[in-house]
Every structure is written in C-alpha cells, then in structure tokens.
Amino acid sequence: MNQKAKITKYLVISVVTLVLFSFISASFNQLRAALHYYKANNLLMQWKESEKINSQGDYVLAKETAEKAVELSNNNPLYLDVLANIYQWGLYQKLEIDPVNVTKEAMQLYQLSIQNRPSWPVTWANMAVLKWRNGEFDEDFKFYLSQADKFGKSQPEVHLLFTELGLAAYQARHPLFTQYKQTIKHRIYNAILSPQSRDKALSLIKKYEQKRITCRWLASENNGYVLRLAKC
C-alpha cells in the first residue's frame, strides 16, 4: 500500500471513529437527560397527589434535576414543561426568593415548549394558570385560555383549569365568570364525568364551598349519573 492510500485509510478510520463517538456521546446525553426528567417528574407527581411540596430540599432537588434534563436536551417539550411546572410550584409555595424573574423563566420555557408542540393543551393551560396566579387577565391570558379550550376538549387538566378558575371567579364575583360562564359550567360537568379529574374537581367544589350552585349547573345537563357522582 502506497503512502497516499495509507493516509486515505487513516483519514476514513478517523472520520468513522469520530462519527461513532459523537453518536455514542449524544445517545448517552439523551439517556442522562431522560433519567433526570423522570426523577424530576416523579417528584412533581408526588406534589400534585399531596397538593404540596414535601420540603425545601425536595423542591431544590426537583428543580436542579429538571434543569439538568433541559441542559442536556434543551428542545424537548417534555423537559421544558416539567421544569416550568416545577418553577410554578415553587412560586405557589413561596419557595422562590425572586418570584418576578422565576415567573418570566417559567413562561419562557412554556413558550419554547409550545413552539415544538403547538397543539398540546396542557402547556397552554399552564401558561393561562401562570397568568391567572399573577392577576394578569390580559389578552395573552385570554389567548392561552382559548388555545387550551380549543386543543383540550377532553383533556382532564383543562377541565380542572376551568373548574378552579370558574369556581374562584364565581366566589369572587369576578367578571371572568360571566365571560366564560357556559364553558366553565360544561367543563365542571366534564371534570366530574372523567375518572381522571373527578376527585380533584369534587375537592375544588368543596374548597370553594360552591356545592349548591354547582349542583344547579349540573342539573341543567340532564344527567342523573353525574348528579349522583357529585352527590347532589
């Protein structure tokens, strides 16, 4: 083999080795990102189940783990959503010392996620909730709410968004209730009808002490089964 052929051979081997190494490295990073995501998401699911964050340490662990997942795979909407949702929980539980900037970071994560998955209703719902919790009932809030409603006709998380928003608005005599009255009533009906959202919906009705009016709304749906589920 002449010198030129040898050089060509070594170059080919080097390129192939480099490509294989890059592929293996990328695959390893994706695996690490997935492991970080599942760890963070498991903690988030525990909070949703118990409706509270167990401890400051739990929050820090979930946040750092989710941040690592995003760092390793920064365009994955699942990872972006879970980190933003963890930030939201930290805000609700008053565990963040800079709520203004954390709110901005959470919204930016949701907006990046929605670019990759524009028809996912839970992200739109979470964006609406973030606005609502900050008392920002602006055009963006209304758009996020409409998108959640549009894409999440049978989504339990969207049922629960309208259920809590509606009950809170009704209790506070907020004009939002009048604006979305029919949607709220129908979503509460669907929230109770769906096994995935039923317990939480009934818990919200109890929390806001609105059983009597809720039963009146449910009665208009002419479904005795749902009335029995709601113990009306």
Side-chain angles (χ1 to χ4, degrees):
M1 183 182 296
N2 59 38
Q3 188 67 21
K4 186 176 180 180
K6 285 182 180 180
I7 293 173
T8 302
K9 178 182 177 181
Y10 291 142
L11 283 173
V12 170
I13 292 173
S14 297
V15 170
V16 170
T17 302
L18 183 61
V19 169
L20 286 174
F21 179 78
S22 298
F23 177 77
I24 292 169
S25 179
S27 297
F28 180 65
N29 283 339
Q30 289 302 315
L31 176 60
R32 288 173 59 208
L35 292 173
H36 287 311
Y37 161 75
Y38 285 116
K39 185 174 182 179
N41 193 56
N42 284 340
L43 288 167
L44 183 60
M45 292 302 103
Q46 290 174 23
W47 304 343
K48 290 181 177 181
E49 184 68 26
S50 63
E51 298 187 352
K52 64 178 182 179
I53 297 175
N54 298 327
S55 67
Q56 175 77 34
D58 240 19
Y59 176 63
V60 172
L61 176 61
K63 184 166 66 168
E64 289 179 348
T65 306
E67 285 171 346
K68 288 176 183 175
V70 170
E71 183 181 332
L72 290 164
S73 184
N74 58 15
N75 284 317
N76 188 311
L78 283 175
Y79 304 169
L80 295 166
D81 274 357
V82 79
L83 177 55
N85 208 201
I86 286 169
Y87 283 160
Q88 275 188 277
W89 273 82
L91 291 166
Y92 303 157
Q93 301 285 312
K94 302 187 185 305
L95 297 176
E96 287 290 350
I97 60 173
D98 189 1
V100 174
N101 279 328
V102 173
T103 298
K104 288 180 181 178
E105 286 181 32
M107 186 60 77
Q108 287 170 357
L109 288 165
Y110 283 135
Q111 289 171 340
L112 183 56
S113 172
I114 215 70
Q115 288 176 21
N116 294 295
R117 199 167 50 164
S119 60
W120 182 235
V122 179
T123 305
W124 289 113
N126 282 328
M127 292 167 74
V129 170
L130 194 57
K131 284 287 215 177
W132 167 32
R133 298 295 187 191
N134 285 314
E136 298 173 2
F137 304 108
D138 53 17
E139 291 305 311
D140 284 340
F141 166 76
K142 293 174 184 177
F143 177 68
Y144 301 155
L145 205 58
S146 69
Q147 293 295 90
D149 185 43
K150 174 184 175 181
F151 293 118
K153 296 299 183 185
S154 59
Q155 194 74 31
E157 292 90 344
V158 181
H159 296 334
L160 291 172
L161 161 63
F162 278 97
T163 296
E164 185 163 16
L165 177 65
L167 293 172
Y170 181 82
Q171 186 184 66
R173 300 296 186 264
H174 195 284
L176 271 174
F177 177 76
T178 302
Q179 186 174 356
Y180 294 98
K181 181 168 61 177
Q182 294 308 316
T183 302
I184 288 166
K185 290 179 180 180
H186 191 60
R187 285 288 185 171
I188 292 175
Y189 168 81
N190 283 328
I192 295 172
L193 191 61
S194 170
Q196 288 80 21
S197 53
R198 182 179 305 145
D199 289 345
K200 178 65 176 175
L202 295 175
S203 175
L204 288 170
I205 292 167
K206 183 178 180 180
K207 173 184 174 181
Y208 288 97
E209 300 179 338
Q210 298 298 334
K211 184 172 181 179
R212 180 179 296 178
I213 189 64
T214 301
C215 286
R216 192 184 306 168
W217 296 339
L218 293 174
S220 67
E221 297 284 352
N222 296 315
N223 188 328
Y225 174 63
V226 173
L227 288 172
R228 289 194 296 275
L229 290 173
K231 298 180 180 179
C232 292

